[in-house]
Amino acid sequence: MKLMRANKVAVAISKGVGFLRRQQRNWKVTVARTSLRTLIYKTVFPYQSVYTMGLGATATQLGIVNTVGMGIAGLLSPFTGWLIDRIGTKTIYLIGIGLLAVSYLTYGMAQNWTIIIVAMVAYWLGDSTSIHSCGTVCANSLANEDRATGMSFCETLAAGLLGMAGPMIGALLIASFGGVNVESIRPLFFISLLATIGTFFLILTQLSNQKWKNKDEGKSGLFGGLSQLFKQGHNLKRWVVIASVGWLPMGMILPFTQVFAYEVKGANQYILGAMVAGSALIPLVFGIPLGRLADKIGRKKVLYFIAPLFWVSNLILVWAPGSGFLIAAGILQGFFFIYSTIAGAMGVELVPPEHMGRWLGIMRFFRLLLAAGVAYLAGIIWDHIGPQYVFLIAVGLDICIRIPLLIGMPETLGLMDER
């Protein structure tokens, strides 16, 4: 029995090594950068909204901060995608990382909540642009039969392993600086600034400026290219709605989860850190297996299984009578990241590689604008109806809109090979 288990482990390791060896260098570089980005972000994320409200913002004003940041980033996303398709990913990638550095610097220097608007605009512009570039490299570097696995590998390493380390580091630093307050949180942003500069030089020195061109495309402009994209794709408009509703948690749930746990449930820095670290446990344990399953049986079947688990996380958060339940809610929240990864694999399989930058730009345009709108709405709901309804309404929208539309989508596994 032990010999059989040892053989299975050896086979699994061999397959994993073989998978990594056959992937392109650009994919490996962007996995490394994305992983470091997650470590940096997850160090400060548990305290980001608490910091903003500590500088004097109400929940509605916190919603406004997120609305402005995501809205501006969303408006520029199609232009970013068009530029990526025209000039390649590297320059755009570096601009995005540079804006992230500006964001962390502004956060660290902020003396009142209104300055956080500038920091959040820089953050969402930088994060959206750099992830857009990363997503284009990832989508076009992976073979169809490896795509969900490859994207899940990145999610497992980034949101999983390093996503757990980041909150732990942050909690220890906050405790050593004096607990959850503005002045104890402030140094985390300067630490994040230095680490972000390091990722800038990683991309500058290691990533090539690969382009994917269609020889028949000509020199179409931004809007002409977008029109051409929708004419060539199938079910793209339906998927835009699905992807946009799937991103509602970015504006309606994630910015308010830690504040809810801190202000309503009385969580301290260790519980806040444990919730975010717990959300990284799910991608770490289940990211690659579920990604591999999606590459075998199809994306939709796996998505149907994952979605209810994220709904349950929000119900537990609202009901939680103690810190253990808050951590359980945080752990189950990790299924959102796996869902987003597998849905992302499904989304990129709807268009050819030469249109990938624009397609990702269109999706980010609608996703960020919708998330921006609901972030403001969530703040109003929090202040005038009740904090718990922010999470309950988000779950209801997902059940009533996204899942019915997903049922009507064709399975995309193998779709690119048919072209």
Side-chain angles (χ1 to χ4, degrees):
M1 183 65 70
K2 291 183 178 180
L3 182 60
M4 290 178 62
R5 289 179 181 174
N7 288 337
K8 288 181 179 180
V9 171
V11 170
I13 293 174
S14 177
K15 288 182 178 179
V17 172
F19 172 85
L20 292 175
R21 282 180 176 174
R22 67 176 177 264
Q23 304 310 322
Q24 299 179 26
R25 175 182 173 83
N26 277 349
W27 178 79
K28 297 174 183 176
V29 171
T30 201
V31 166
R33 184 265 156 188
T34 300
S35 300
L36 291 171
R37 170 260 176 199
T38 302
L39 176 65
I40 296 165
Y41 177 60
K42 288 298 181 72
T43 300
V44 300
F45 173 72
Y47 316 102
Q48 197 171 26
S49 294
V50 175
Y51 181 79
T52 301
M53 295 185 76
L55 289 172
T58 64
T60 299
Q61 290 165 339
L62 175 64
I64 291 172
V65 168
N66 284 277
T67 293
V68 174
M70 287 187 285
I72 293 176
L75 289 171
L76 292 178
S77 288
F79 180 68
T80 302
W82 178 76
L83 280 177
I84 288 174
D85 285 340
R86 302 293 290 185
I87 67 175
T89 57
K90 187 171 182 177
T91 300
I92 306 301
Y93 212 153
L94 292 172
I95 291 172
I97 298 173
L99 286 169
L100 285 174
V102 170
S103 173
Y104 288 128
L105 176 62
T106 306
Y107 262 111
M109 297 178 65
Q111 297 300 317
N112 60 72
W113 77 269
T114 56
I115 302 301
I116 299 298
I117 296 176
V118 177
M120 189 60 83
V121 169
Y123 171 79
W124 276 108
L125 279 174
D127 197 57
S128 178
T129 302
S130 58
I131 288 179
H132 196 150
S133 303
C134 167
T136 303
V137 173
C138 185
N140 290 344
S141 298
L142 294 166
N144 185 253
E145 64 273 11
D146 285 339
R147 185 166 290 108
T149 302
M151 294 174 73
S152 296
F153 174 86
C154 182
E155 189 68 20
T156 297
L157 180 60
L161 186 61
L162 297 181
M164 290 184 68
M168 294 177 184
I169 294 170
L172 291 173
L173 290 172
I174 289 293
S176 67
F177 294 150
V180 182
N181 59 69
V182 168
E183 295 309 316
S184 295
I185 297 171
R186 192 184 301 277
L188 295 186
F189 295 109
F190 292 112
I191 294 170
S192 298
L193 168 64
L194 294 175
T196 299
I197 292 172
T199 68
F200 180 92
F201 285 101
L202 173 66
I203 295 301
L204 179 66
T205 59
Q206 300 300 317
L207 188 73
S208 72
N209 196 35
Q210 186 176 357
K211 303 176 186 178
W212 295 270
K213 291 185 176 181
N214 181 352
K215 63 181 180 181
D216 299 320
E217 184 177 359
K219 296 183 178 180
S220 59
L222 170 60
F223 296 105
L226 297 180
S227 175
Q228 182 184 48
L229 172 60
F230 274 107
K231 288 180 181 179
Q232 292 188 13
H234 300 288
N235 294 293
L236 299 189
K237 294 178 182 178
R238 178 187 290 266
W239 185 259
V240 164
V241 178
I242 294 171
S244 299
V245 175
W247 245 55
L248 285 182
M250 294 299 295
M252 200 167 188
I253 292 178
L254 299 186
F256 294 91
T257 297
Q258 303 304 111
V259 177
F260 184 85
Y262 177 65
E263 293 196 351
V264 178
K265 300 294 182 176
N268 61 25
Q269 70 265 20
Y270 294 110
I271 300 301
L272 295 178
M275 288 175 66
V276 177
S279 71
L281 180 64
I282 294 297
L284 178 64
V285 176
F286 296 107
I288 292 177
L290 288 175
R292 199 61 193 158
L293 185 63
D295 280 336
K296 290 183 177 295
I297 69 173
R299 286 63 166 112
K300 290 176 62 176
K301 293 177 181 177
V302 178
L303 293 178
Y304 293 145
F305 167 74
I306 295 174
L309 298 172
F310 180 62
W311 304 336
V312 171
S313 76
N314 290 281
L315 299 179
I316 292 176
L317 175 69
V318 170
W319 170 75
S323 58
F325 290 94
L326 290 175
I327 295 172
I331 291 172
L332 289 175
Q333 197 174 77
F335 280 104
F336 169 74
F337 302 105
I338 298 181
Y339 188 103
S340 298
T341 300
I342 295 175
M346 189 173 180
V348 300
E349 288 164 352
L350 294 169
V351 301
E354 61 270 14
H355 295 308
M356 195 62 67
R358 270 165 291 183
W359 172 231
L360 294 179
I362 289 171
M363 285 198 292
R364 293 193 72 81
F365 171 79
F366 286 103
R367 288 190 306 187
L368 284 169
L369 287 186
L370 182 60
V374 299
Y376 178 62
L377 176 64
I380 294 176
I381 292 171
W382 180 294
D383 283 335
H384 298 285
I385 300 177
Q388 68 272 24
Y389 292 103
V390 172
F391 308 97
L392 298 177
I393 291 172
V395 170
L397 291 173
D398 201 53
I399 294 172
C400 295
I401 300 175
R402 181 168 57 142
I403 297 303
L405 288 174
L406 180 62
I407 292 172
M409 283 292 295
E411 176 57 56
T412 60
L413 179 61
L415 186 62
M416 295 185 77
D417 295 333
E418 296 173 2
R419 291 194 175 103

